[in-house]
Amino acid sequence: MTVKTFDPSESQPAAVQPNTTHATKVAPAMGQTNPGDGTRIGFISLGCPKNLVDSERILTQLRIEGYDIVNTYEGADLVIVNTCGFIDSAVQESLDTIGEALKENGKVLVTGCLGAKEDEIKQIHPKVLGITGPHAYEVVLEQVHAHLPKPQHDPMTSLIPDHGVKLTPRHYAYLKISEGCNHKCTFCIIPSMRGQLDSRPIGNVLDEAKRLKDAGVKELLVISQDTGAYGVDSKHVTGFWNGMPVKTALLQLAQKLAEFGIWVRLHYVYPYPNVADLMPLMAEGKILPYLDIPFQHASPRVLKLMKRPGNAERTLEQIQSWREQCPDLVIRSTFIVGFPGETEADFELLLDWLAEARLDRVGCFKYSPVDGAVANDLPDAVPEEVKEERYQRFMALQAQISREKLADRVGQEMLVMVDEIGEDGAIGRSYADAPEIDGKVVIGGEYDLNPGDMVWVSIEFADDHDLFGTLVEDDE
């Protein structure tokens, strides 16, 4: 394996590390929104899709109880901030948002991952009305009741759809199948925030998926902290759905979801051996041939320091086998550079591995100490300037790989799901792209399409991240 030598003097755009993996969501206005009636709640959701699902559940219950949701601080009787606490930049974003809500409104409840660090929040923002940790739905509602008593409302004029309140567009939705995680990665504090793996009953998951599909959802994004481990905690107990037995396991869940006839996309799947069992479903087009796998590194020594499972060479063999079974497979992943103890040799090994693996979509983070993480105590911290230099080298290599892989799409016809209408035309995604984290397909000059439309597009141009094309003419 060889890698092009990085020359910092070459003219090329610098990669920028994102603060969080997903955009802030402000809940849209819902309800009667009458000023002065003490039922108006503003809601801000930060962080990952798992947090977004928590927000949707809280909002659904608030609407069921008759509270109105507003999208401004000024018009709210109370503001709820659902926080993220995974990395330092996300913690700071959460603290800044809490501060802004206090300044603009003054009455703020805090929930979510950062809520597990109650003392830290109170030290900086002592005026918050209440603090709860992640997926503490009932306690959040109790705190709301303490400050805004339940409103008197007519359920006939305050109907909530069966699928509840959603913060995503109508045509796609996140389906969370479990909480928590059993891994002990040294850089991560998720288990201390969200607990050990706790899989939802498979019947409940499939019921929710059916409600979402019936409501018009055309793409389900299956999420959890460790999707491949679904059902491990319950010893893959047999549940029931529609009167039929179904094993609580990822393969059986994917098989049932495939019967819905909509896009099914899997996120946060560790490279367990059972991933191979999914390849026939992907090869046959029953679920999307897309895997989001957090490899994190390739150096065996660094992986051991991280307490991550997986052998780099074995993982390359797995990837090759998956691609042989499903040639259309797209793999996205995330990596950490500058982890404590990472040497130049470790990093070069990572670059070599990346060059051979040729992953389709890759995100990278410079290691950042997380309060409470075991990795904070590891020796041989990597200097910030070295982290930055390695980050830029990593992203330059991946940009080259991405550019080459997307160039191979030129001349193909791809099925595209429209997400929005932009200045240059409709903007959508193919099976190869998850919303908000991957690339886009721009359909030039098409302004008459609607979000959720699925159309065939002839790909005519590609850059480092996105594809550009035109509608395929209907011969009929």
Side-chain angles (χ1 to χ4, degrees):
M1 295 182 286
T2 60
V3 176
K4 177 184 175 183
T5 302
F6 177 77
D7 183 356
S9 65
E10 292 182 1
S11 175
Q12 51 190 318
V16 178
Q17 178 168 312
N19 285 332
T20 58
T21 53
H22 290 267
T24 300
K25 300 290 185 183
V26 178
M30 292 175 279
Q32 303 299 316
T33 63
N34 297 317
D37 60 7
T39 66
R40 294 154 63 88
I41 296 175
F43 200 106
I44 301 168
S45 182
L46 304 169
C48 69
K50 294 174 284 295
N51 230 32
L52 191 71
V53 173
D54 291 348
S55 295
E56 290 174 341
R57 290 178 179 174
I58 295 170
L59 284 167
T60 296
Q61 190 59 41
L62 288 171
R63 288 295 297 126
I64 287 173
E65 294 187 357
Y67 291 97
D68 293 335
I69 308 301
V70 297
N71 55 13
T72 64
Y73 291 125
E74 183 180 358
D77 298 300
L78 180 71
V79 175
I80 300 174
V81 180
N82 193 3
T83 59
C84 179
F86 182 57
I87 58 177
D88 283 354
S89 58
V91 170
Q92 190 58 53
E93 181 184 16
S94 293
L95 291 173
D96 289 346
T97 302
I98 295 167
E100 180 183 86
L102 284 168
K103 179 181 177 181
E104 299 295 328
N105 183 276
K107 298 180 179 180
V108 178
L109 293 177
V110 175
T111 188
C113 287
L114 187 58
K117 302 178 180 180
E118 183 174 351
D119 291 343
E120 180 177 340
I121 295 173
K122 284 186 174 179
Q123 182 177 358
I124 299 173
H125 298 301
K127 294 184 179 180
V128 295
L129 300 178
I131 301 173
T132 54
H135 53 86
Y137 317 120
E138 294 182 0
V139 182
V140 173
L141 268 294
E142 290 173 2
Q143 291 183 345
V144 170
H145 299 158
H147 297 282
L148 296 181
K150 285 186 182 182
Q152 297 293 323
H153 74 291
D154 182 356
M156 297 305 294
T157 60
S158 303
L159 299 177
I160 304 298
D162 287 342
H163 61 274
V165 174
K166 288 175 68 266
L167 292 176
T168 54
R170 183 174 183 267
H171 58 282
Y172 70 81
Y174 293 103
L175 181 68
K176 184 159 65 170
I177 63 174
S178 67
E179 295 284 0
C181 179
N182 288 343
H183 291 290
K184 297 180 180 178
C185 303
T186 58
F187 57 81
C188 182
I189 57 173
I190 291 299
S192 66
M193 289 181 171
R194 290 183 171 265
Q196 297 295 103
L197 179 68
D198 183 11
S199 301
R200 296 177 60 196
I202 194 164
N204 293 359
V205 174
L206 291 169
D207 281 342
E208 181 179 346
K210 180 65 163 53
R211 289 194 298 270
L212 290 167
K213 188 254 185 181
D214 291 345
V217 167
K218 297 182 179 180
E219 178 181 9
L220 288 173
L221 299 106
V222 179
I223 59 170
S224 67
Q225 286 300 137
D226 184 0
T227 297
Y230 176 64
V232 167
D233 54 310
S234 65
K235 296 181 170 45
H236 300 298
V237 63
T238 297
F240 289 87
W241 188 65
N242 279 354
M244 300 295 292
V246 187
K247 187 178 179 181
T248 307
L250 182 58
L251 175 61
Q252 284 71 23
L253 174 63
Q255 289 170 335
K256 285 298 180 183
L257 292 176
E259 296 175 4
F260 291 171
I262 59 179
W263 281 7
V264 176
R265 189 183 302 275
L266 302 181
H267 284 278
Y268 316 121
V269 181
Y270 279 71
Y272 298 127
N274 66 357
V275 172
D277 297 336
L278 298 167
M279 290 304 115
L281 288 176
M282 294 185 177
E284 295 166 12
K286 293 181 178 178
I287 65 175
L288 294 182
Y290 177 102
L291 280 176
D292 177 1
I293 301 180
F295 291 118
Q296 305 295 12
H297 215 280
S299 163
R301 200 180 68 83
V302 174
L303 287 171
K304 185 176 181 179
L305 289 171
M306 291 179 168
K307 290 193 175 179
R308 294 285 296 180
N311 174 283
E313 291 301 321
R314 170 60 179 152
T315 303
L316 285 174
E317 294 173 3
Q318 284 181 298
I319 292 172
Q320 180 180 354
S321 175
W322 298 338
R323 285 171 170 163
E324 288 172 354
Q325 296 176 69
C326 181
D328 290 332
L329 179 66
V330 162
I331 302 175
R332 95 165 315 274
S333 188
T334 52
F335 294 84
I336 298 173
V337 297
F339 191 78
E342 181 192 63
T343 65
E344 181 63 22
D346 292 321
F347 180 68
E348 289 286 350
L349 194 155
L350 172 59
L351 291 184
D352 286 346
W353 187 92
L354 187 66
E356 185 164 343
R358 292 183 65 79
L359 305 181
D360 300 86
R361 299 291 190 184
V362 169
C364 182
F365 289 88
K366 291 172 286 186
Y367 173 75
S368 173
V370 177
D371 187 25
V374 175
N376 296 347
D377 298 325
L378 292 176
D380 303 319
V382 178
E384 289 301 321
E385 61 272 18
V386 176
K387 291 181 189 177
E388 178 64 24
E389 187 257 356
R390 289 177 183 172
Y391 174 75
Q392 294 298 333
R393 289 163 65 188
F394 181 97
M395 294 308 295
L397 173 59
Q398 180 54 36
Q400 175 187 331
I401 295 170
S402 178
R403 187 184 313 117
E404 292 169 356
K405 299 205 76 164
L406 290 178
D408 291 340
R409 298 285 187 186
V410 175
Q412 294 184 10
E413 293 183 356
M414 303 187 74
L415 183 62
V416 172
M417 181 179 294
V418 176
D419 282 333
E420 60 181 313
I421 305 301
E423 293 182 359
D424 299 322
I427 300 173
R429 296 173 290 107
S430 73
Y431 81 90
D433 303 300
E436 298 187 348
I437 56 175
D438 291 331
K440 301 174 183 176
V441 180
V442 179
I443 312 171
E446 297 295 336
Y447 299 95
D448 294 332
L449 298 173
N450 298 304
D453 286 349
M454 302 188 73
V455 295
W456 284 94
V457 176
S458 175
I459 305 302
E460 299 175 346
F461 177 75
D463 62 17
D464 289 1
H465 305 287
D466 303 320
L467 299 173
F468 303 80
T470 57
L471 282 182
V472 174
E473 296 294 334
D474 192 341
D475 293 333
E476 296 182 2

